[in-house]
Amino acid sequence: MIVVVSGPGGVGKGTIVDAAVKRDNGLWLSRSWTTRDQRPGEADDAYVFVTPTEFEAHIGAGGFLEWTEFLGNYYGTPVPDESAPDVNGRDIVLEIEVDGAQQVKRIHPDVMLIFVLPPSREEQERRLRGRGDVDHKVLARLKKAEQEEPIGRELADHVVVNDDLEDTIAEMLAIIDAAR
Ligand code: 5GP
């Protein structure tokens, strides 16, 4: 099974997904590639950090399941190697924005899309600012979120509001269990 977790920036997708894969050994989290700079304090393995040239070469080689340009940087999901020992029989989790989610749905209509929403715009803004991005980037992400939300709601199999983190993680794991 492929589980796509999508939602606007600042909604807490990354935190939710990290916790879910830690608790459920049957889940494998795909690591994306990006051309954006690593944030201060961000883990080295949060992404495969590459240059635009490296990213474009990988597009040319057919190396991505999906990729997109998001606020001036490339992001992409490498084609999963389902025979790799660490994947082996596990359900694959992708944490991606809405354009990528649409692409994956087109290629694999049977993927399960969980769309995560913030409890409010104010809370989302607070979380985005908490990551230390500069003001114009926070505003750009909030604007982008408004465009993403209606598309994501329409595309989603399940919509989850991330009000309480623990509840959201439990809800997501229950949705995945039910699908299995
Ligand atoms: P951030 O810069 O905050 O880490 O990520 C920006 C957005 O890109 C987030 O919505 C995140 O989910 C999304 N994203 C991360 N990896 C990928 C990917 O491989 N493909 C796509 N389409 N979006 C991604």
Side-chain angles (χ1 to χ4, degrees), residues 61-143:
F64 289 114
L65 176 64
E66 61 76 35
W67 63 272
T68 197
E69 222 180 313
F70 182 90
L71 298 176
N73 284 298
Y74 287 131
Y75 294 81
T77 306
V79 177
D81 175 5
E82 289 177 37
S83 66
D86 55 338
V87 184
N88 196 8
R90 288 173 156 158
D91 298 314
I92 296 173
V93 180
L94 311 181
E95 189 247 284
I96 60 180
E97 51 68 71
V98 169
D99 177 54
Q102 279 179 304
Q103 294 179 47
V104 178
K105 269 275 190 188
R106 265 200 299 275
I107 309 164
H108 299 289
D110 54 337
V111 300
M112 186 170 68
L113 175 61
I114 303 176
F115 195 68
V116 188
L117 288 176
S120 66
R121 285 271 169 256
E122 294 70 32
E123 177 59 16
Q124 181 183 19
E125 183 167 351
R126 198 185 63 74
R127 289 179 192 168
L128 281 172
R129 292 198 187 279
R131 295 202 293 218
D133 275 349
V134 292
D135 208 50
H136 74 270
K137 285 200 178 169
V138 172
L139 294 177
R141 279 168 184 262
L142 283 169
K143 197 162 162 218

